[in-house]
């Protein structure tokens, strides 16, 4: 459907750009201590999941696949850091009491 020379983006394109945005948000939240890290606990796994789905769904469009892979590359270190922090807090003997 073309309206005034503009084609609406495909769902795969929207998903890929959302993955990139969530990946950037998860990296950006790591810059802020306290509330930023608390929000990153929610955003990082979401960014990772959306990026994985976007990579799979954007097989036929290289530009969308690039956006999705970029989101994945930003979400992986953030998710790993959140998992490491959760592991450190859960296994800390000082917090066990």
């Amino acid at each position: 459907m073309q309206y005034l020379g503009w084609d609406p983006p495909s769902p795969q394109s929207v998903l890929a750009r959302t993955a990139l945005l969530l990946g950037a948000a998860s990296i950006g939240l790591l810059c802020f201590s306290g509330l930023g890290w608390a929000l990153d606990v929610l955003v990082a796994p979401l960014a990772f999941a959306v990026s994985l789905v976007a990579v799979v769904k954007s097989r036929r469009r290289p530009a969308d696949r690039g956006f999705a892979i970029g989101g994945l590359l930003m979400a992986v270190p953030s998710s790993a850091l959140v998992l490491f922090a959760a592991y450190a807090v859960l296994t800390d003997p000082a917090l066990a009491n």
Side-chain angles (χ1 to χ4, degrees):
M1 178 175 155
Q2 189 172 9
Y3 180 72
L4 295 178
W6 179 77
D7 283 333
S10 68
Q12 291 85 7
S13 181
V14 171
L15 185 66
R17 284 165 174 78
T18 303
L20 186 67
L21 180 67
L22 284 172
S26 69
I27 290 292
L29 285 172
L30 289 176
C31 297
F32 302 103
S33 61
L35 182 62
W37 276 69
L39 289 174
D40 198 39
V41 168
L42 301 173
V43 173
L46 178 67
F48 184 73
V50 169
S51 297
L52 278 179
V53 170
V55 166
V56 172
K57 294 268 186 188
S58 63
R59 286 189 302 254
R60 294 186 184 103
R61 300 192 60 183
D64 292 342
R65 191 169 183 96
F67 281 123
I69 290 172
L72 189 62
L73 289 175
M74 286 188 276
V76 166
S78 183
S79 297
L81 196 57
V82 166
L83 287 174
F84 176 72
Y87 174 77
V89 167
L90 291 175
T91 59
D92 188 9
L95 295 175
N97 295 332

